[in-house]
Amino acid sequence: MRLSKSIFLSAVVLVALVQTALASIYSQLQFMKIESPRDGQDVKAGSQLTVKYVMQPLIDEQTSPGKALGLDINFHRRSGNKKQQQLGYIHKKCPVAAKADKYVTYTKKWTVPENTKPGSYAIDFVEKVQLRRTQITSTETVKINTGETLSATDFNARPGGKGANQSVAMAKGGGAVYHAGVLGNDAHWIKDFMVENGVDMSFTRISETEGNGRAFIQVSSETGDNCIVLYPGTNAKYTPQDASKVLESFGPEDWIVMQNEISCGGEIMNLAAEKGLSVLFNPAPMTPGIVNEFPMDKVAILIVNEHEAEDLYRDLGGQSKGKGGLDLAAELLKRFPKMQGVVVTLGGDGVIGKFRQEGDRMRDFIIPCRKVDVKDTTGAGDTFVGYFLASFVRSIDKDYFTRIEYALEEANVAASIAVQRLGSMNSVPTLDEVKAVLNK
């Protein structure tokens, strides 16, 4: 039995937080535009937040397709289970009266609760709309961050980066891994570390002039949640010409694993598909317009977290609110008929997957979360990706759906071990550690 080789195209990143603010959000709601808060806005516990929206003018009653009936605005966390996420209402039954010939602006000052801890939160604008023959509910979500100046209790520089983490995870999971990318002139030690963990680095070059990429990571000592800001460094220096040379050594029996951290990712994915490689895509970090940048119809297996699945579906023009993980996976498979399967990781709620074989055979997978003492979630997703493909490739002699199920279970266990340790690349468990948990 020949184990497929896998290439991980991503330069490597070192491990520190800063919060970023994005442009003002234009609402997808039916009759209004949200002007405040902005998507990605930073707020502080105890401070006042301006909530502002604008109602569009009424259309003539003879031609109007509908009208807004009501609007609720609520505040919730973006992580944890549904009970942990829900925090409360900012305003119930907000005014939605519109004028016949002008825009109407409504503004409310809301105080962020004093006990709001630093982290990632969201504000949902939930609008009830009366159409000609039915009522619908339309929702727009604005992501905000709460922060404050804190003293750090510790500082460490560790090897990491999505592609590098996934390469090490697959190697530790028993895969034959060839990592391709560009390292900075300050990252010789990272190359050595990856080689020590079983990754073939012969397709990775070191730049003589550029510094390595960096990930600045802040980890909460209370929840284990993290916030990450990336500096690309040599990640942005990898070219399609570099990839084309690497791909000469690979073919139809091999896999390429890609993320959204390197330059020219879409072009490189196309080159790999033309060579006949199977593509596993983990589109993180998620960026607007990613479906136009990457040839999604070339992806065999897509692995995303729940927020990425929602963002991706919205990027395709869908309304993701109210759809669970399996629903989102089904919608994404519909959009891309050649895709074999979609995996959605749900954090504390486990993992789901939806896969198809030979067109018509479909199967859903639901893997419950393992309850463990969480210390650091930074490398959990990458550990999951690497172990999933390693397991899938190792069990090539088994039935297709059996391979998927075991790969999901093994990856879930590996990720649950990783979150009990600090760091990203160095938190990846060995295959013996994973099997010991599975065999209990």
Side-chain angles (χ1 to χ4, degrees), residues 20 99-100 163 331 350 400:
T20 57
K99 301 293 184 182
E331 292 291 345
Y400 179 75

Side-chain angles (χ1 to χ4, degrees), residues 217-233:
I217 304 174
Q218 177 178 282
V219 180
S220 168
S221 60
E222 295 182 5
T223 67
D225 289 335
N226 64 76
C227 180
I228 305 174
V229 176
L230 296 173
Y231 161 68

Side-chain angles (χ1 to χ4, degrees), residues 179-220:
H179 186 92
V182 185
L183 293 177
N185 52 18
D186 51 351
H188 290 269
W189 66 279
I190 301 177
K191 182 177 180 180
D192 294 340
F193 184 90
M194 294 178 70
V195 170
E196 290 169 6
N197 282 276
V199 180
D200 188 311
M201 299 293 285
S202 57
F203 293 104
T204 299
R205 63 182 175 86
I206 293 183
S207 170
E208 297 300 323
T209 58
E210 297 284 341
N212 210 61
R214 295 289 190 274
F216 301 93
I217 304 174
Q218 177 178 282
V219 180
S220 168

Side-chain angles (χ1 to χ4, degrees), residues 56-57 148 150 168 184 197 256 303 305 307 328 334 373 403:
Q56 72 176 29
E148 58 183 308
L150 299 171
V168 168
N197 282 276
I256 182 169
I303 299 182
N305 64 32
H307 300 305
L328 288 168
K334 275 185 199 175
D373 180 19
R403 294 171 67 193

